Amino acid sequence: MSDPIIRFDNVVKRFGDHTVLDRLNFTVNRGEKVTIIGPSGSGKSTVLRILMTLEGIEGGVVHVGGEPLWHEADGVTPASEAHLRKKRGEMGMVFQQFNLFPHMTVLRNITEAPVRVLGLPKAEAKARAEELLELVGLTEHMSKFPHQLSGGQQQRVAIARALAMRPSILLFDEPTSALDPELVGEVLGVIRRLAEEHDLTMLLVTHEMRFAREVSDRVVFFDQGRIREEGAPEEIFTDPTEERTREFLKATLEA
Amino acid sequence: MLFGFEWDLSSPLAFALSILPMLGTGMLVTIQAAVLGFALALVLGLVWAVLKSAPLRVIAWPAAVVTEFLRDTPLLVQLFFLYYVLPEYGIVLPAFMTGALALGLQYSAYTAEVYRAGLQAVPRGQHEAALALNLPPTRKFTHIVIPQAVPRIVPAMGNYLVSIMKDVPVLSVVTVLEMLNVARIIGDRTFDYLIPLSMVGAIYLIMTLVASAGVRALDTYLPKEGIPLK
Ligand SMILES: Nc1ncnc2c1ncn2[C@@H]1O[C@H](COP(=O)(O)OP(=O)(O)O)[C@@H](O)[C@H]1O
Ligand SMILES: [Mg+2]
Protein backbone atom coordinates (compact mmCIF):
# COMPACT_ATOMS: atom_id res chain seq x y z
CA MET A 1 0.00 0.00 0.00
CA SER A 2 1.49 3.30 -0.96
CA ASP A 3 -0.07 6.70 -0.73
CA PRO A 4 2.63 9.23 -1.50
CA ILE A 5 2.13 12.56 0.25
CA ILE A 6 5.52 13.81 -0.97
CA ARG A 7 6.86 12.94 -4.38
CA PHE A 8 9.96 14.23 -6.16
CA ASP A 9 9.92 13.38 -9.88
CA ASN A 10 13.25 13.92 -11.62
CA VAL A 11 13.86 17.05 -9.61
CA VAL A 12 16.84 19.13 -10.64
CA LYS A 13 18.23 21.80 -8.35
CA ARG A 14 21.23 23.95 -9.21
CA PHE A 15 23.07 26.73 -7.48
CA GLY A 16 24.84 28.44 -10.36
CA ASP A 17 26.90 25.76 -12.09
CA HIS A 18 26.68 23.43 -9.15
CA THR A 19 23.99 20.78 -9.57
CA VAL A 20 22.86 19.87 -6.08
CA LEU A 21 20.01 17.55 -6.99
CA ASP A 22 20.32 15.71 -10.27
CA ARG A 23 17.01 14.16 -11.32
CA LEU A 24 16.04 13.14 -7.83
CA ASN A 25 13.20 10.66 -7.43
CA PHE A 26 11.94 10.25 -3.94
CA THR A 27 8.63 9.60 -2.21
CA VAL A 28 7.29 9.68 1.29
CA ASN A 29 3.99 7.99 2.08
CA ARG A 30 1.29 9.45 4.23
CA GLY A 31 2.05 8.89 7.89
CA GLU A 32 5.51 7.57 7.16
CA LYS A 33 8.52 8.60 9.27
CA VAL A 34 11.48 8.93 6.97
CA THR A 35 15.00 9.84 7.98
CA ILE A 36 17.54 11.29 5.57
CA ILE A 37 21.15 10.66 6.44
CA GLY A 38 24.27 11.46 4.47
CA PRO A 39 27.41 13.51 4.39
CA SER A 40 27.36 17.26 4.72
CA GLY A 41 26.70 19.03 1.43
CA SER A 42 24.88 16.08 -0.10
CA GLY A 43 21.64 18.03 -0.54
CA LYS A 44 19.62 16.90 2.50
CA SER A 45 18.62 20.38 3.62
CA THR A 46 17.93 21.35 0.03
CA VAL A 47 15.25 18.65 -0.19
CA LEU A 48 13.44 20.03 2.85
CA ARG A 49 13.92 23.64 1.74
CA ILE A 50 12.44 22.88 -1.67
CA LEU A 51 9.41 21.30 -0.02
CA MET A 52 8.93 24.38 2.16
CA THR A 53 9.33 26.53 -1.02
CA LEU A 54 12.36 28.26 0.49
CA GLU A 55 14.16 27.23 -2.70
CA GLY A 56 12.86 26.85 -6.23
CA ILE A 57 13.81 24.08 -8.65
CA GLU A 58 15.23 23.99 -12.15
CA GLY A 59 13.50 20.90 -13.41
CA GLY A 60 11.14 18.07 -12.56
CA VAL A 61 8.05 18.18 -10.38
CA VAL A 62 7.60 18.17 -6.63
CA HIS A 63 4.21 16.94 -5.44
CA VAL A 64 2.89 17.65 -2.00
CA GLY A 65 -0.44 16.13 -1.01
CA GLY A 66 -1.00 14.99 -4.58
CA GLU A 67 -0.53 18.40 -6.18
CA PRO A 68 2.62 19.85 -7.73
CA LEU A 69 4.23 22.81 -5.99
CA TRP A 70 5.25 24.33 -9.30
CA HIS A 71 4.11 23.16 -12.67
CA GLU A 72 6.51 22.00 -15.28
CA ALA A 73 5.67 23.08 -18.81
CA ASP A 74 8.74 24.24 -20.70
CA GLY A 75 10.92 24.86 -17.69
CA VAL A 76 9.48 25.05 -14.20
CA THR A 77 6.69 27.58 -14.17
CA PRO A 78 5.89 29.33 -10.91
CA ALA A 79 2.69 28.45 -9.16
CA SER A 80 0.48 31.19 -7.81
CA GLU A 81 1.33 32.59 -4.42
CA ALA A 82 -2.10 31.46 -3.20
CA HIS A 83 -1.32 27.88 -4.23
CA LEU A 84 2.07 27.95 -2.54
CA ARG A 85 0.50 29.33 0.61
CA LYS A 86 -1.97 26.48 0.64
CA LYS A 87 0.80 23.93 0.13
CA ARG A 88 3.02 25.50 2.80
CA GLY A 89 0.06 25.31 5.13
CA GLU A 90 0.17 21.52 4.90
CA MET A 91 3.75 21.48 6.18
CA GLY A 92 5.63 22.61 9.24
CA MET A 93 9.39 23.03 9.48
CA VAL A 94 11.81 22.81 12.38
CA PHE A 95 15.15 24.45 11.66
CA GLN A 96 18.62 23.60 12.86
CA GLN A 97 18.97 27.10 14.39
CA PHE A 98 15.39 27.09 15.82
CA ASN A 99 14.63 30.48 14.21
CA LEU A 100 12.27 31.53 16.97
CA PHE A 101 11.22 35.17 16.88
CA PRO A 102 13.54 36.61 19.57
CA HIS A 103 11.39 39.65 20.37
CA MET A 104 8.27 37.60 21.08
CA THR A 105 7.45 35.53 24.11
CA VAL A 106 7.20 31.77 23.83
CA LEU A 107 3.41 32.02 23.80
CA ARG A 108 3.42 34.73 21.14
CA ASN A 109 5.85 32.73 19.00
CA ILE A 110 3.35 29.90 18.97
CA THR A 111 0.15 31.93 18.57
CA GLU A 112 1.31 34.53 16.03
CA ALA A 113 0.73 32.45 12.90
CA PRO A 114 -2.44 30.66 14.04
CA VAL A 115 -4.01 34.05 14.80
CA ARG A 116 -2.68 35.92 11.76
CA VAL A 117 -2.73 33.16 9.18
CA LEU A 118 -5.45 30.74 10.25
CA GLY A 119 -7.54 33.51 11.80
CA LEU A 120 -8.04 31.69 15.11
CA PRO A 121 -9.49 33.77 17.94
CA LYS A 122 -6.71 34.69 20.36
CA ALA A 123 -8.19 32.71 23.23
CA GLU A 124 -8.42 29.58 21.12
CA ALA A 125 -4.88 30.02 19.82
CA LYS A 126 -3.66 30.43 23.39
CA ALA A 127 -5.47 27.33 24.56
CA ARG A 128 -3.95 25.35 21.73
CA ALA A 129 -0.50 26.78 22.48
CA GLU A 130 -0.87 25.72 26.10
CA GLU A 131 -1.70 22.18 25.04
CA LEU A 132 1.34 22.09 22.78
CA LEU A 133 3.60 23.51 25.47
CA GLU A 134 2.42 20.75 27.72
CA LEU A 135 3.26 18.24 25.00
CA VAL A 136 6.82 19.57 24.77
CA GLY A 137 7.05 20.00 28.55
CA LEU A 138 7.44 23.78 28.72
CA THR A 139 4.19 25.02 30.22
CA GLU A 140 5.91 27.11 32.89
CA HIS A 141 8.05 28.94 30.32
CA MET A 142 5.14 30.38 28.38
CA SER A 143 5.84 34.04 29.08
CA LYS A 144 9.61 33.90 28.74
CA PHE A 145 11.59 35.14 25.79
CA PRO A 146 13.61 32.67 23.71
CA HIS A 147 16.95 34.00 24.97
CA GLN A 148 15.92 33.03 28.49
CA LEU A 149 15.67 29.38 27.47
CA SER A 150 18.29 26.73 26.77
CA GLY A 151 18.82 25.59 23.19
CA GLY A 152 16.92 22.39 23.86
CA GLN A 153 13.98 24.33 25.25
CA GLN A 154 14.05 26.72 22.30
CA GLN A 155 13.93 23.86 19.86
CA ARG A 156 10.98 22.34 21.72
CA VAL A 157 9.20 25.70 21.42
CA ALA A 158 10.00 25.67 17.70
CA ILE A 159 8.41 22.24 17.41
CA ALA A 160 5.32 23.50 19.23
CA ARG A 161 5.21 26.52 16.94
CA ALA A 162 5.27 24.32 13.85
CA LEU A 163 2.61 22.00 15.28
CA ALA A 164 0.32 24.93 16.10
CA MET A 165 -0.35 25.32 12.38
CA ARG A 166 -1.76 21.76 12.30
CA PRO A 167 0.47 20.53 9.48
CA SER A 168 0.10 17.02 8.13
CA ILE A 169 3.80 16.94 7.25
CA LEU A 170 6.58 17.93 9.61
CA LEU A 171 10.07 18.61 8.29
CA PHE A 172 13.07 18.56 10.63
CA ASP A 173 16.44 19.83 9.42
CA GLU A 174 19.07 18.56 11.83
CA PRO A 175 16.99 19.65 14.82
CA THR A 176 19.65 18.72 17.36
CA SER A 177 22.85 19.69 15.52
CA ALA A 178 23.09 23.12 17.14
CA LEU A 179 22.58 21.78 20.65
CA ASP A 180 25.00 20.98 23.41
CA PRO A 181 25.21 17.19 23.75
CA GLU A 182 23.37 17.12 27.07
CA LEU A 183 20.36 18.88 25.52
CA VAL A 184 19.95 16.58 22.53
CA GLY A 185 18.00 13.95 24.45
CA GLU A 186 15.10 16.18 25.47
CA VAL A 187 14.47 17.27 21.88
CA LEU A 188 14.75 13.77 20.47
CA GLY A 189 12.37 12.67 23.22
CA VAL A 190 9.73 15.10 21.99
CA ILE A 191 10.20 14.07 18.36
CA ARG A 192 10.01 10.43 19.34
CA ARG A 193 6.69 11.01 21.12
CA LEU A 194 5.34 12.80 18.06
CA ALA A 195 6.44 9.93 15.87
CA GLU A 196 4.83 7.34 18.10
CA GLU A 197 1.62 9.09 19.03
CA HIS A 198 0.67 11.04 15.92
CA ASP A 199 -0.12 10.12 12.37
CA LEU A 200 1.97 13.02 11.11
CA THR A 201 4.17 12.40 8.13
CA MET A 202 7.71 13.12 9.27
CA LEU A 203 10.75 13.81 7.17
CA LEU A 204 13.82 14.19 9.30
CA VAL A 205 17.43 15.00 8.51
CA THR A 206 19.68 13.93 11.35
CA HIS A 207 23.08 12.67 12.31
CA GLU A 208 21.67 10.88 15.36
CA MET A 209 21.94 7.37 13.98
CA ARG A 210 20.59 5.50 16.96
CA PHE A 211 17.57 7.76 17.06
CA ALA A 212 17.04 7.38 13.31
CA ARG A 213 17.12 3.67 13.70
CA GLU A 214 14.54 3.71 16.46
CA VAL A 215 11.94 6.10 15.08
CA SER A 216 12.03 5.76 11.33
CA ASP A 217 10.03 3.49 9.08
CA ARG A 218 12.58 4.08 6.35
CA VAL A 219 16.08 5.49 6.13
CA VAL A 220 17.36 7.21 3.02
CA PHE A 221 21.08 7.62 2.46
CA PHE A 222 21.92 10.71 0.42
CA ASP A 223 25.21 11.14 -1.32
CA GLN A 224 26.07 13.88 -3.80
CA GLY A 225 22.48 14.83 -4.45
CA ARG A 226 21.30 11.30 -5.11
CA ILE A 227 19.78 8.55 -3.09
CA ARG A 228 22.51 5.98 -2.80
CA GLU A 229 20.54 3.56 -0.77
CA GLU A 230 17.25 3.37 1.09
CA GLY A 231 15.44 0.82 3.15
CA ALA A 232 14.25 -0.23 6.56
CA PRO A 233 16.50 1.02 9.35
CA GLU A 234 17.73 -2.48 10.23
CA GLU A 235 18.90 -3.07 6.67
CA ILE A 236 20.65 0.25 6.28
CA PHE A 237 22.32 0.21 9.65
CA THR A 238 23.24 -3.43 9.95
CA ASP A 239 23.64 -4.62 6.42
CA PRO A 240 24.00 -1.83 3.87
CA THR A 241 24.58 -3.01 0.32
CA GLU A 242 26.46 0.05 -0.88
CA GLU A 243 30.09 0.60 -0.05
CA ARG A 244 29.50 4.38 0.31
CA THR A 245 26.84 3.76 2.93
CA ARG A 246 29.21 1.51 4.86
CA GLU A 247 31.96 4.11 4.77
CA PHE A 248 29.62 6.87 5.84
CA LEU A 249 28.18 4.88 8.74
CA LYS A 250 31.62 3.79 9.85
CA ALA A 251 32.89 7.39 9.80
CA THR A 252 29.82 8.66 11.66
CA LEU A 253 29.95 6.00 14.34
CA GLU A 254 33.63 6.64 14.95
CA ALA A 255 33.11 10.38 15.30
CA MET B 1 17.20 96.33 14.44
CA LEU B 2 16.41 92.86 13.16
CA PHE B 3 13.10 90.99 12.91
CA GLY B 4 11.54 93.95 14.69
CA PHE B 5 13.82 93.58 17.71
CA GLU B 6 16.18 96.39 18.74
CA TRP B 7 19.62 95.69 20.17
CA ASP B 8 20.83 97.33 23.37
CA LEU B 9 24.53 98.14 23.36
CA SER B 10 24.63 99.68 26.84
CA SER B 11 26.36 96.66 28.41
CA PRO B 12 27.45 93.17 27.27
CA LEU B 13 24.69 91.56 29.31
CA ALA B 14 22.06 93.92 27.98
CA PHE B 15 23.35 93.27 24.47
CA ALA B 16 23.20 89.52 24.96
CA LEU B 17 19.68 89.69 26.31
CA SER B 18 18.51 92.02 23.55
CA ILE B 19 19.76 89.81 20.75
CA LEU B 20 18.40 86.60 22.29
CA PRO B 21 14.98 86.98 20.57
CA MET B 22 16.76 87.49 17.23
CA LEU B 23 18.87 84.40 17.71
CA GLY B 24 15.73 82.60 18.90
CA THR B 25 14.08 83.40 15.58
CA GLY B 26 17.14 81.99 13.80
CA MET B 27 17.12 78.96 16.07
CA LEU B 28 13.55 78.16 15.06
CA VAL B 29 14.62 78.24 11.42
CA THR B 30 17.58 75.98 12.24
CA ILE B 31 15.34 73.50 14.03
CA GLN B 32 12.77 73.55 11.25
CA ALA B 33 15.42 72.97 8.58
CA ALA B 34 16.99 70.15 10.60
CA VAL B 35 13.67 68.48 11.36
CA LEU B 36 12.36 68.77 7.82
CA GLY B 37 15.66 67.62 6.33
CA PHE B 38 15.85 64.72 8.78
CA ALA B 39 12.27 63.65 8.10
CA LEU B 40 13.01 63.67 4.39
CA ALA B 41 16.21 61.70 4.98
CA LEU B 42 14.31 59.10 7.02
CA VAL B 43 11.69 58.55 4.33
CA LEU B 44 13.93 58.80 1.29
CA GLY B 45 16.65 56.69 2.91
CA LEU B 46 14.20 53.84 3.37
CA VAL B 47 13.21 54.17 -0.28
CA TRP B 48 16.88 53.98 -1.33
CA ALA B 49 17.50 51.00 0.94
CA VAL B 50 14.57 49.10 -0.52
CA LEU B 51 15.53 49.99 -4.10
CA LYS B 52 19.18 49.07 -3.54
CA SER B 53 18.21 45.65 -2.22
CA ALA B 54 15.91 45.01 -5.20
CA PRO B 55 16.72 41.79 -7.00
CA LEU B 56 16.49 43.57 -10.35
CA ARG B 57 19.77 45.22 -11.35
CA VAL B 58 18.03 47.91 -13.38
CA ILE B 59 16.45 49.13 -10.15
CA ALA B 60 19.27 48.48 -7.70
CA TRP B 61 22.02 49.98 -9.81
CA PRO B 62 20.68 53.49 -10.37
CA ALA B 63 19.76 53.70 -6.69
CA ALA B 64 23.30 52.71 -5.75
CA VAL B 65 24.80 55.28 -8.11
CA VAL B 66 22.56 58.08 -6.87
CA THR B 67 23.24 57.39 -3.18
CA GLU B 68 26.96 57.09 -3.83
CA PHE B 69 26.85 60.46 -5.55
CA LEU B 70 24.85 62.04 -2.72
CA ARG B 71 27.23 60.67 -0.11
CA ASP B 72 30.49 61.54 -1.82
CA THR B 73 29.89 65.10 -2.99
CA PRO B 74 29.93 68.08 -0.61
CA LEU B 75 26.66 69.34 0.80
CA LEU B 76 27.52 72.80 -0.47
CA VAL B 77 27.85 71.57 -4.05
CA GLN B 78 24.47 69.87 -3.84
CA LEU B 79 22.96 72.95 -2.30
CA PHE B 80 24.30 75.23 -5.05
CA PHE B 81 23.09 72.79 -7.61
CA LEU B 82 19.54 72.87 -6.26
CA TYR B 83 19.61 76.62 -5.67
CA TYR B 84 21.07 77.75 -8.99
CA VAL B 85 20.34 74.95 -11.43
CA LEU B 86 16.78 73.93 -10.60
CA PRO B 87 15.37 77.43 -11.33
CA GLU B 88 16.85 77.19 -14.83
CA TYR B 89 14.43 74.31 -15.35
CA GLY B 90 11.53 76.29 -13.95
CA ILE B 91 11.62 74.77 -10.47
CA VAL B 92 11.80 77.69 -8.08
CA LEU B 93 11.70 76.82 -4.39
CA PRO B 94 12.08 79.21 -1.47
CA ALA B 95 15.65 79.23 -0.11
CA PHE B 96 14.54 77.48 3.06
CA MET B 97 12.89 74.64 1.16
CA THR B 98 15.89 74.29 -1.12
CA GLY B 99 18.12 74.05 1.94
CA ALA B 100 15.96 71.48 3.71
CA LEU B 101 15.80 69.48 0.47
CA ALA B 102 19.59 69.54 0.12
CA LEU B 103 20.06 68.37 3.72
CA GLY B 104 17.43 65.66 3.28
CA LEU B 105 18.96 64.42 0.04
CA GLN B 106 22.49 64.17 1.35
CA TYR B 107 21.47 62.56 4.61
CA SER B 108 19.14 60.12 2.83
CA ALA B 109 22.28 58.50 1.44
CA TYR B 110 23.55 58.00 5.00
CA THR B 111 20.25 56.79 6.42
CA ALA B 112 19.90 54.36 3.50
CA GLU B 113 23.08 52.70 4.73
CA VAL B 114 21.74 52.55 8.29
CA TYR B 115 18.50 50.99 7.12
CA ARG B 116 20.34 48.50 4.97
CA ALA B 117 22.59 47.44 7.84
CA GLY B 118 19.60 47.26 10.19
CA LEU B 119 17.56 45.14 7.82
CA GLN B 120 20.48 42.88 7.02
CA ALA B 121 21.11 42.31 10.70
CA VAL B 122 17.81 40.44 10.85
CA PRO B 123 18.95 36.87 10.15
CA ARG B 124 17.75 35.02 7.08
CA GLY B 125 16.31 32.36 9.37
CA GLN B 126 13.73 34.88 10.57
CA HIS B 127 12.48 35.39 7.04
CA GLU B 128 12.45 31.65 6.46
CA ALA B 129 10.55 30.91 9.66
CA ALA B 130 7.99 33.57 8.76
CA LEU B 131 7.58 32.09 5.30
CA ALA B 132 7.31 28.55 6.65
CA LEU B 133 4.50 29.75 8.94
CA ASN B 134 2.82 31.43 5.97
CA LEU B 135 2.89 34.86 7.59
CA PRO B 136 1.88 37.41 4.95
CA PRO B 137 4.83 39.53 3.73
CA THR B 138 3.44 42.76 5.19
CA ARG B 139 2.89 41.13 8.56
CA LYS B 140 6.40 39.71 8.41
CA PHE B 141 7.79 43.16 7.71
CA THR B 142 5.83 45.02 10.37
CA HIS B 143 5.96 42.42 13.15
CA ILE B 144 9.10 40.36 12.58
CA VAL B 145 11.58 42.49 10.65
CA ILE B 146 10.85 46.07 11.81
CA PRO B 147 10.80 45.34 15.56
CA GLN B 148 14.17 43.64 15.25
CA ALA B 149 15.69 46.25 12.95
CA VAL B 150 14.51 49.44 14.67
CA PRO B 151 16.46 49.10 17.95
CA ARG B 152 19.57 48.56 15.84
CA ILE B 153 18.82 51.62 13.74
CA VAL B 154 17.80 54.23 16.31
CA PRO B 155 21.22 55.07 17.82
CA ALA B 156 22.83 55.62 14.40
CA MET B 157 19.87 57.69 13.24
CA GLY B 158 20.22 59.79 16.39
CA ASN B 159 23.79 60.60 15.46
CA TYR B 160 22.64 61.78 12.05
CA LEU B 161 19.97 64.00 13.60
CA VAL B 162 22.66 65.79 15.61
CA SER B 163 24.88 65.90 12.59
CA ILE B 164 22.20 67.39 10.35
CA MET B 165 21.57 70.15 12.94
CA LYS B 166 25.23 71.04 12.81
CA ASP B 167 25.11 71.22 9.00
CA VAL B 168 22.23 73.73 8.88
CA PRO B 169 24.59 76.77 8.90
CA VAL B 170 25.67 75.75 5.40
CA LEU B 171 22.25 76.99 4.28
CA SER B 172 23.30 80.54 5.18
CA VAL B 173 25.14 80.77 1.86
CA VAL B 174 21.83 80.64 0.05
CA THR B 175 20.38 83.39 2.30
CA VAL B 176 18.52 81.18 4.74
CA LEU B 177 18.26 83.12 7.99
CA GLU B 178 19.23 80.28 10.28
CA MET B 179 20.87 80.96 13.61
CA LEU B 180 24.48 81.42 12.54
CA ASN B 181 23.48 83.71 9.70
CA VAL B 182 21.47 85.82 12.14
CA ALA B 183 24.49 86.02 14.47
CA ARG B 184 26.70 87.11 11.60
CA ILE B 185 24.26 89.85 10.57
CA ILE B 186 24.14 91.09 14.16
CA GLY B 187 27.95 91.12 14.20
CA ASP B 188 28.12 92.95 10.87
CA ARG B 189 25.84 95.66 12.11
CA THR B 190 27.06 96.09 15.67
CA PHE B 191 30.74 95.20 15.15
CA ASP B 192 30.44 92.80 18.05
CA TYR B 193 30.86 89.25 16.84
CA LEU B 194 32.06 87.70 20.07
CA ILE B 195 28.79 87.74 21.97
CA PRO B 196 26.41 86.59 19.21
CA LEU B 197 28.80 83.85 18.03
CA SER B 198 29.39 82.62 21.58
CA MET B 199 25.68 82.52 22.12
CA VAL B 200 25.20 80.50 18.94
CA GLY B 201 27.78 78.04 20.21
CA ALA B 202 26.03 77.73 23.57
CA ILE B 203 22.59 77.34 22.01
CA TYR B 204 23.96 74.69 19.64
CA LEU B 205 25.42 72.80 22.56
CA ILE B 206 22.05 72.84 24.33
CA MET B 207 20.18 71.79 21.17
CA THR B 208 22.46 68.85 20.42
CA LEU B 209 22.43 67.73 24.07
CA VAL B 210 18.63 67.82 24.09
CA ALA B 211 18.44 65.94 20.78
CA SER B 212 20.88 63.28 22.00
CA ALA B 213 18.97 62.91 25.25
CA GLY B 214 15.75 62.53 23.26
CA VAL B 215 17.25 59.82 21.10
CA ARG B 216 18.60 58.02 24.17
CA ALA B 217 15.18 58.21 25.81
CA LEU B 218 13.58 56.75 22.70
CA ASP B 219 16.23 54.05 22.66
CA THR B 220 15.56 53.12 26.28
CA TYR B 221 11.84 53.13 25.74
CA LEU B 222 11.94 50.85 22.67
CA PRO B 223 11.20 47.21 23.47
CA LYS B 224 14.28 45.17 22.68
CA GLU B 225 14.03 42.19 24.97
CA GLY B 226 15.67 39.24 23.33
CA ILE B 227 17.07 41.10 20.33
CA PRO B 228 20.82 40.59 20.15
CA LEU B 229 22.40 44.05 19.79
CA LYS B 230 26.08 44.60 19.39
N1 LIG C 1 22.10 29.22 -1.23
C1 LIG C 1 23.06 28.45 -1.75
N2 LIG C 1 23.89 28.92 -2.69
C2 LIG C 1 24.85 28.16 -3.24
N3 LIG C 1 25.07 26.88 -2.92
C3 LIG C 1 24.28 26.34 -1.97
C4 LIG C 1 23.23 27.09 -1.34
N4 LIG C 1 22.61 26.28 -0.45
C5 LIG C 1 23.24 25.09 -0.52
N5 LIG C 1 24.22 25.12 -1.43
C6 LIG C 1 25.10 24.00 -1.79
O1 LIG C 1 24.28 22.90 -2.08
C7 LIG C 1 24.87 21.71 -1.61
C8 LIG C 1 23.88 20.97 -0.75
O2 LIG C 1 23.60 21.73 0.39
P1 LIG C 1 22.67 21.21 1.55
O3 LIG C 1 21.38 20.77 0.99
O4 LIG C 1 22.62 22.28 2.57
O5 LIG C 1 23.49 19.97 2.08
P2 LIG C 1 23.30 19.16 3.43
O6 LIG C 1 22.10 19.65 4.15
O7 LIG C 1 23.20 17.74 2.99
O8 LIG C 1 24.55 19.38 4.22
C9 LIG C 1 26.14 22.10 -0.89
O9 LIG C 1 27.22 21.88 -1.76
C10 LIG C 1 25.96 23.56 -0.63
O10 LIG C 1 27.20 24.21 -0.64
MG1 LIG D 1 22.01 20.63 5.99
Side-chain angles (χ1 to χ4, degrees), chain A residues 49 52-54 85 88-89 91 95 99-104 108 112-113 116-117 145 147-148 161 165, chain B residues 124-137 139 143-145 147-148 224-228:
Chain A
R49 293 171 57 80
M52 209 23 143
T53 75
L54 299 174
R85 289 178 65 78
R88 282 197 292 265
M91 298 176 277
F95 300 87
N99 296 350
L100 291 178
F101 303 129
H103 59 299
M104 293 182 174
R108 183 73 195 285
E112 174 71 12
R116 294 297 152 183
V117 180
F145 285 87
H147 73 102
Q148 296 169 309
R161 179 176 71 172
M165 295 299 281
Chain B
R124 206 164 66 133
Q126 294 290 302
H127 295 269
E128 295 183 346
L131 186 73
L133 290 167
N134 256 336
L135 284 177
R139 181 79 189 174
H143 284 73
I144 308 296
V145 177
Q148 294 186 66
K224 37 180 176 301
E225 170 95 53
I227 301 169

Side-chain angles (χ1 to χ4, degrees), chain B:
Chain B
M1 162 141 164
L2 188 62
F3 306 134
F5 301 107
E6 205 57 66
W7 39 71
D8 178 351
L9 292 162
S10 56
S11 73
L13 182 63
F15 180 55
L17 286 176
S18 69
I19 63 172
L20 197 55
M22 306 172 201
L23 292 177
T25 310
M27 183 183 82
L28 282 182
V29 174
T30 299
I31 292 175
Q32 284 166 359
V35 168
L36 198 64
F38 189 60
L40 184 63
L42 286 181
V43 174
L44 200 55
L46 186 57
V47 174
W48 295 135
V50 170
L51 291 182
K52 282 209 284 186
S53 64
L56 277 180
R57 286 250 175 109
V58 283
I59 297 173
W61 245 85
V65 170
V66 171
T67 51
E68 198 61 37
F69 172 80
L70 289 174
R71 196 172 38 230
D72 293 335
T73 55
L75 176 59
L76 198 52
V77 173
Q78 293 171 26
L79 182 61
F80 275 11
F81 198 87
L82 294 178
Y83 192 68
Y84 294 111
V85 178
L86 283 191
E88 287 181 22
Y89 294 90
I91 305 169
V92 184
L93 295 173
F96 172 82
M97 293 307 278
T98 311
L101 183 62
L103 287 171
L105 279 175
Q106 175 153 74
Y107 277 85
S108 71
Y110 300 133
T111 59
E113 227 14 66
V114 176
Y115 282 122
R116 200 187 54 81
L119 294 176
Q120 275 188 356
V122 178
R124 206 164 66 133
Q126 294 290 302
H127 295 269
E128 295 183 346
L131 186 73
L133 290 167
N134 256 336
L135 284 177
T138 48
R139 181 79 189 174
K140 178 186 85 172
F141 198 66
T142 56
H143 284 73
I144 308 296
V145 177
I146 295 276
Q148 294 186 66
V150 165
R152 294 176 163 112
I153 285 173
V154 166
M157 288 301 185
N159 291 341
Y160 283 130
L161 173 61
V162 169
S163 182
I164 213 169
M165 284 166 97
K166 294 194 292 181
D167 269 349
V168 173
V170 171
L171 309 195
S172 65
V173 300
V174 294
T175 74
V176 174
L177 286 171
E178 49 69 50
M179 189 164 51
L180 183 68
N181 205 6
V182 171
R184 189 187 52 81
I185 292 169
I186 296 170
D188 286 348
R189 303 214 187 141
T190 62
F191 304 106
D192 185 342
Y193 290 96
L194 175 68
I195 290 178
L197 289 183
S198 308
M199 287 172 73
V200 168
I203 294 172
Y204 249 109
L205 186 65
I206 295 168
M207 287 197 317
T208 51
L209 286 177
V210 168
S212 303
V215 172
R216 262 202 311 282
L218 175 64
D219 194 35
T220 329
Y221 162 81
L222 278 176
K224 37 180 176 301
E225 170 95 53
I227 301 169
L229 299 168
K230 280 197 288 289

Side-chain angles (χ1 to χ4, degrees), chain A residues 9-239:
Chain A
D9 281 345
N10 289 315
V11 171
V12 177
K13 172 68 192 170
R14 293 190 200 95
F15 289 109
D17 294 340
H18 179 35
T19 302
V20 177
L21 302 180
D22 186 11
R23 302 188 149 262
L24 176 70
N25 289 294
F26 171 58
T27 58
V28 177
N29 292 324
R30 198 173 292 276
E32 204 180 10
K33 326 293 179 202
V34 174
T35 306
I36 301 180
I37 60 171
S40 165
S42 57
K44 307 182 297 296
S45 298
T46 302
V47 167
L48 301 194
R49 293 171 57 80
I50 287 171
L51 282 168
M52 209 23 143
T53 75
L54 299 174
E55 303 283 0
I57 56 176
E58 273 70 49
V61 189
V62 178
H63 295 263
V64 172
E67 292 174 298
L69 288 179
W70 303 277
H71 293 265
E72 187 188 44
D74 28 330
V76 176
T77 44
S80 73
E81 184 52 30
H83 174 71
L84 290 180
R85 289 178 65 78
K86 177 175 150 241
K87 291 284 111 186
R88 282 197 292 265
E90 296 170 22
M91 298 176 277
M93 184 154 181
V94 176
F95 300 87
Q96 186 173 345
Q97 302 293 341
F98 331 137
N99 296 350
L100 291 178
F101 303 129
H103 59 299
M104 293 182 174
T105 61
V106 165
L107 183 67
R108 183 73 195 285
N109 261 281
I110 301 174
T111 57
E112 174 71 12
V115 172
R116 294 297 152 183
V117 180
L118 305 180
L120 286 193
K122 282 196 174 138
E124 195 182 329
K126 181 164 185 262
R128 188 191 280 195
E130 283 168 351
E131 268 172 45
L132 289 166
L133 282 171
E134 199 173 322
L135 177 80
V136 300
L138 290 171
T139 310
E140 70 275 32
H141 298 292
M142 195 159 75
S143 25
K144 288 191 179 164
F145 285 87
H147 73 102
Q148 296 169 309
L149 305 178
S150 73
Q153 291 170 329
Q154 290 187 50
Q155 192 60 298
R156 281 144 67 198
V157 173
I159 293 171
R161 179 176 71 172
L163 288 171
M165 295 299 281
R166 298 257 159 105
S168 47
I169 303 170
L170 206 46
L171 310 170
F172 294 88
D173 191 3
E174 300 196 30
T176 59
S177 294
L179 300 177
D180 292 334
E182 74 272 19
L183 302 176
V184 168
E186 64 190 60
V187 173
L188 294 184
V190 167
I191 301 174
R192 187 193 312 267
R193 268 192 69 188
L194 284 177
E196 283 162 3
E197 295 171 17
H198 295 262
D199 51 10
L200 276 168
T201 304
M202 285 173 38
L203 183 54
L204 181 99
V205 175
T206 187
H207 290 296
E208 298 291 331
M209 297 304 162
R210 199 156 57 97
F211 176 75
R213 187 171 181 162
E214 287 163 13
V215 300
S216 12
D217 301 316
R218 184 154 54 97
V219 175
V220 176
F221 174 62
F222 254 72
D223 187 38
Q224 296 178 343
R226 302 165 163 276
I227 294 176
R228 266 303 167 101
E229 184 164 4
E230 62 181 310
E234 308 83 67
E235 290 169 36
I236 301 288
F237 288 113
T238 53
D239 189 24

